[in-house]
Structures are given as C-alpha cells and as structure tokens.
Amino acid sequence: MATQSSPPVTLLVLGAGGDLTRRLLLPGLATLLSTERDRRVRVVGADRAELSAAEWTSRVEGAFAQVQAPKAVTGRVVKHTEYVRSDILDPDSLGALVEGCGDGPLVVFFALPPSVTTRCCALLADLRLPEVTRLALEKPFGTDLASARDLNALLHRVVPEERVFRIDHFLGVNTVLNLVGTRFANRIFQPVWSRDHIERVEIVYDEDLALEGRAGYYDGAGALRDMLQSHLLQVLALFAMESVTTLDSEEVQDQKAQVLRAVRPWGRSAARSARRARYTAGTIGRRKIPDYTSEEGVDPARKTETLAQMTVAVENNRWAGVPFVLRSGKGMGEPRKEIVVTFRDVAHLPGGFQGAEGPDRLVIGLKPGSMELSMTMNAEGDPFDLEQKTLSATLAPPRMHAYGEVLGQILDGERLLSVRGDSAEECWRIVAPVLRAFAQDKVPMEEYPAGSSGPDGWLPSA
Ligand code: NDP
C-alpha cells in the first residue's frame, strides 16, 4: 500500500461527469481513503462538461458524503483535486491534460463510453506518458472475441499488459479471498472439491432491479453479455481453478486462465445448453414494473434477454461430467446472489435409515458474504429418520466497498482482482456459440412476469 512517504498517485478520471464516476468510483475511493488513511491520491477529473472548480469540488464532497467519509478525509482530497474541461478525443486537449498530471505515477481511469475509450487509447499510444502509467477500465472489454482482441492490442500499444487493469467489481478482495480460503485453507472442503464428490454447481446472480433507465447500455447487451460473460465466468474460474502455491496475482491469474480454457457449452451444444427470457409487466415489492419491451429506449426487435442461463462443462480431470449452471436475471422477485454446490449422495446408505431429504449442499453467498451448509443428519426425533440440518454463518462485512478494494489494488499496481487480457478473450470465446444461437433464434425467447422467480423449471434448486 502507498504510504505518506511514497509519491502521491494521480488518478486521472476521464468521463468524470458520468454515472460510473458518481455512483461507484468516487464513493469507492472515499471508502478506500477512509479505511487506509495513509494513502495519498490526487484526483483529476476530466470531461467535456463545463464545470467550475467549485461545482467539481461539491460533486466530490457529495460522493464522499454518500458513504459518510470523515471530514478530514474529504478535506484532504478536495484540497488537491482539480477539474479540467477537456475533449478527450482532441489530441491537443488530451496531450495537455496528461502533461498537466506531471511525471509521478499516473492511473488513467476510463469512465467513458466504450467507443470513446477505444479512440482515446489510440491517441494515448502517441503521447509521452509518465514512466509509471496504469490504465484502468470497466467492462465491457469488447463486444465479442475479435473486438476484445483488438482492444487488447490497442491497450498494449499504450502500456504492457502488467499495467492494464480490467475492473470486475464483483471481485472485491473479500469475495476472492473467501472463495480461495474456503477451497484451499479448509480441511473439510479442500479434499472434496472435485467431480468425485460434487454433482453440480450453480452460480446465480438474480437482481430485483429492473431496467432502471439504463436501456441505452443494457438493450444492446442483455443478461448473457452483461453478467455471464463477465462476472459469473470470473467467479467460475475462482471456484474451479487448480490450487495455488501463493496468493501472488500472476499465479492466480494463470490458474484462472487455465480453467477458462477448459470451459465448453454443456453437451457441446450451445442451443441446448442455454436458455433466455424477458420480463413482462409485474410487481416487485411495491414497484410496478412495465413490460421490458415497453421500457423507454428498448427496441423489441433486438430481442434482448433480461434473464439468461447457460450450462457449461469444465473439460478437465477434476471437473469432467459436472454441470456448472450460470444464471442471471433482472426484475426477479427475490434477489439471489450465490454459488450453490450440490454434493453427490454417499456411496452406500446403511439399511434402516429412512427419509433422506435430498443431497448435501453448500451455499456461498456472493454479496453479502455468507455460508450455509445443509447436511443430512439424524439428529432430531426418531434416530432412524434422516433430515436436513443447515448450519449458517454470516461473514464479516468487507472493510470497504468492493469498488474501493479494486481501486486500492490498481493504485498499488496489484493485479489480483483485475481481469487479465487472455481471460477476457477466453470469456468471449466461451459465450460466442450461445450468442450465435440466440441471434439465429435457435433458443426460444421465454417470458416471466417481473417479480417472479423466472420461467418454471429453469434451475432445479431455485
Ligand atoms: P456515462 O455516459 O454516464 O459517462 C461518460 C462520460 O464521459 C459523460 O460525462 C460523457 O459526457 C463523457 N464523455 C464522452 N465523450 C467525451 C469526450 N470526447 N471528451 C470528454 N468527455 C466525454 O457512462 P457511465 O459512467 O455509465 O459508464 C462509463 C463506463 O463504465 C462505460 O464503459 C460503461 O460500460 C462502464 N460501466 C458503467 C457502469 C455504471 O454503473 N454506470 C457499471 C459498469 C461498467 P456527455 O454526457 O457529454 O456525453
């Protein structure tokens, strides 16, 4: 971690007037700086909007207040922050902006629309940048395999891969370390983490939020691109990777990349391994949700799915034959964000026991962290009757917002939480046949009322 004696890092936020900066980046930074008080970060915001210094400062203060940052923390950031009105696609304007950041360590954060990020990168490749320059960008990392490759090649014209940070804010330190700890630091689970003991794995991220005015982005993406291609495959990689010797980020990245290379559609059939659906009008809590196709900005002809499910195989020695079901949806009645591990039945149940209620299960909550282990026992009443008992633990809340954790790592040049270029490409390779099957209408578009749990029969354990 950077301390008072290290040179301050300049965080140059391109697109500082946008939604990501306001909702995630600045509040995340505030939680980071409130937790790690020795950090010294100078924030330079740049956007094409006309903003006075006072207006920018008040935006920063507002974002810090959202997460109750102490006054001293906010004061220190505000004292050194700066806003530069700039057209980032104008080479002279961009050059002056970068030059104004000085020669110290620089993090260029692209909070820009993806097409602007690409064009801006092409311009940065021709500029002289500080020796320690890191690039940080949010998903989407391309829109398919070819564009992801092109984007990576472009980023590498600016800095080497070790200085590129593709952010997946699903991967806060806590989520990553909880998974790695559960798997490899735990004598109970470590030996059973394979096809010999595990029957199936479900990675589910169902949201009770609907479109919430984000048609501009979402209607061009859909649940498969927005969630499965990015976040859920990253979770799968951490869940299924081989063991690591240390928590060194390159080693973890290597193991994640290796397992992603083994992922294929279940049964080698994209059409049969995937499902898609779209919400119709319904109610979530007290909110009335309109039919997706009548939401403002939605083009029904695009046939964008709001719920996607894809079953994949991990074709290696550890996981052959185990289905991994990835699923994510919007407009669901109950938020469900978890990994469900279903264990195989015991090889032989002693005669005389009766009433086994189902397989043993481990449920790992993704946000917030929790664990539930449901085990077959005969602990209650008639000792010949089996029943399921559930042990639950709520994990301590993370020290800070996931976005703060991710930013802290970028400021330190640590890559444990970012998505390496080869993995980003691999994730597009995995979903490509399903995207094709959707585009060719080989997978029917089903429907579910907003506020329900999705079409019937999608997930056995839902
Ligand atoms: P916004 O459109 O809200 O913000 C982008 C900002 O960049 C706007 O203020 C825009 O100005 C500005 N901008 C565009 N072109 C230029 C230019 N040539 N020069 C200077 N400024 C320019 O987007 P988001 O904040 O929502 O998203 C940013 C990135 O983060 C995207 O890649 C998105 O995919 C990703 N992301 C966003 C998430 C979110 O929750 N918002 C979540 C995950 C990823 P203007 O308004 O004038 O066009």
Side-chain angles (χ1 to χ4, degrees):
M1 186 186 86
T3 62
Q4 269 171 357
S5 55
S6 8
V9 180
T10 299
L11 176 61
L12 171 60
V13 183
L14 305 179
D19 181 67
L20 180 77
T21 306
R22 182 178 51 82
R23 273 194 324 112
L24 292 173
L25 197 160
L26 288 175
L29 181 68
T31 63
L32 171 70
L33 298 181
S34 303
T35 311
E36 298 181 0
R37 301 281 181 103
D38 280 346
R39 279 187 184 276
R40 293 164 69 213
V41 183
R42 182 166 77 101
V43 182
V44 178
D47 202 292
R48 60 183 170 193
E50 193 75 65
L51 271 189
S52 69
E55 283 169 322
W56 170 247
T57 302
S58 121
R59 280 198 190 183
V60 175
E61 284 171 341
F64 275 52
Q66 270 176 48
V67 291
Q68 286 90 39
K71 277 205 171 81
V73 170
T74 310
R76 206 145 45 91
V77 171
V78 161
K79 190 169 166 201
H80 300 288
T81 192
E82 196 186 334
Y83 177 78
V84 184
R85 184 175 171 271
S86 176
D87 178 356
I88 284 148
L89 295 181
D90 174 71
D92 294 335
S93 171
L94 183 66
L97 177 65
V98 170
E99 185 136 1
C101 290
D103 283 334
L106 175 67
V107 172
V108 181
F109 193 111
F110 298 97
L112 294 165
S115 61
V116 182
T117 295
T118 311
R119 288 157 69 197
C120 176
C121 267
L123 297 178
L124 284 174
D126 295 331
L127 291 180
R128 197 189 68 79
L129 299 171
E131 197 183 327
V132 179
T133 296
R134 302 186 186 114
L135 306 184
L137 64 158
E138 261 283 358
K139 67 167 195 183
F141 315 124
T143 51
D144 56 18
L145 179 55
S147 58
R149 279 188 184 140
D150 290 347
L151 177 62
N152 283 342
L154 185 56
L155 292 163
H156 298 157
R157 280 180 52 208
V158 187
V159 294
E161 174 62 24
E162 304 73 67
R163 301 258 170 95
V164 179
F165 295 79
R166 293 173 199 78
I167 297 171
D168 182 349
H169 60 272
F170 250 57
L171 302 182
V173 178
N174 269 57
T175 310
V176 172
L177 294 189
N178 285 345
L179 257 176
V180 176
T182 304
R183 289 199 51 194
F184 300 120
N186 181 311
R187 184 68 203 187
I188 312 285
F189 292 126
Q190 188 272 333
V192 299
W193 218 258
S194 71
R195 67 189 303 270
D196 297 335
H197 303 278
I198 291 179
E199 189 173 88
R200 62 188 275 123
V201 179
E202 289 150 20
I203 303 175
V204 180
Y205 201 89
D206 283 352
E207 299 179 89
D208 55 357
L209 292 175
L211 194 55
E212 320 290 327
R214 294 195 66 215
Y217 159 70
Y218 193 82
D219 199 45
L224 185 75
R225 283 192 176 89
D226 184 45
M227 296 299 299
L228 275 63
Q229 184 277 337
S230 50
H231 307 303
L232 300 193
L233 280 171
Q234 290 296 315
V235 174
L236 177 147
L238 281 166
F239 182 96
M241 70 185 185
E242 293 301 313
S243 79
V244 283
T245 324
T246 68
L247 289 174
D248 171 75
S249 53
E250 281 315 306
E251 195 180 339
V252 174
Q253 297 284 357
D254 284 345
Q255 298 297 48
K256 281 170 62 189
Q258 187 202 42
V259 79
L260 287 170
R261 284 199 295 275
V263 175
R264 299 283 181 283
W266 184 253
R268 293 276 176 140
S269 164
R272 274 183 281 118
S273 64
R275 307 186 80 163
R276 61 175 169 163
R278 199 159 56 180
Y279 65 75
T280 54
T283 310
I284 305 176
R286 291 197 184 151
R287 289 177 296 142
K288 279 204 175 336
I289 308 292
D291 190 289
Y292 176 77
T293 55
S294 62
E295 294 258 27
E296 201 183 325
V298 167
D299 176 2
R302 280 203 177 113
K303 295 196 176 169
T304 302
E305 78 287 354
T306 58
L307 173 65
Q309 183 170 306
M310 176 184 182
T311 305
V312 296
V314 179
E315 295 188 350
N316 65 17
N317 217 25
R318 180 182 290 275
W319 295 113
V322 178
F324 284 75
V325 185
L326 312 180
R327 146 176 166 150
S328 180
K330 279 193 182 295
M332 313 297 284
E334 289 292 328
R336 225 186 124 210
K337 302 170 181 182
E338 60 199 19
I339 307 172
V340 182
V341 186
T342 303
F343 292 96
R344 292 191 189 285
D345 288 338
V346 289
H348 171 72
L349 184 68
F353 278 130
Q354 56 205 6
E357 278 185 2
D360 299 333
R361 282 211 172 108
L362 173 69
V363 179
I364 306 171
L366 287 171
K367 279 179 180 180
S370 62
M371 289 259 180
E372 261 184 29
L373 179 60
S374 302
M375 293 186 293
T376 307
M377 293 182 176
N378 58 339
E380 260 176 9
D382 185 336
F384 294 101
D385 277 348
L386 299 173
E387 65 270 339
Q388 287 276 312
K389 282 277 151 205
T390 301
L391 313 178
S392 315
T394 303
L395 307 180
R399 291 185 310 143
M400 62 183 92
H401 282 190
Y403 223 92
E405 295 182 320
V406 170
L407 277 175
Q409 293 246 320
I410 298 171
L411 294 168
D412 292 345
E414 234 327 305
R415 305 210 315 146
L416 182 65
L417 304 183
S418 68
V419 176
R420 206 168 63 184
D422 55 340
S423 286
E425 291 178 18
E426 209 54 48
C427 292
W428 282 116
R429 196 267 309 151
I430 293 166
V431 299
V434 178
L435 287 171
R436 256 194 316 275
F438 282 5
Q440 294 166 355
D441 272 336
K442 289 186 177 159
V443 178
M445 177 68 84
E446 299 176 55
E447 292 188 332
Y448 60 101
S452 69
S453 58
D456 287 341
W458 274 36
L459 267 183
S461 67

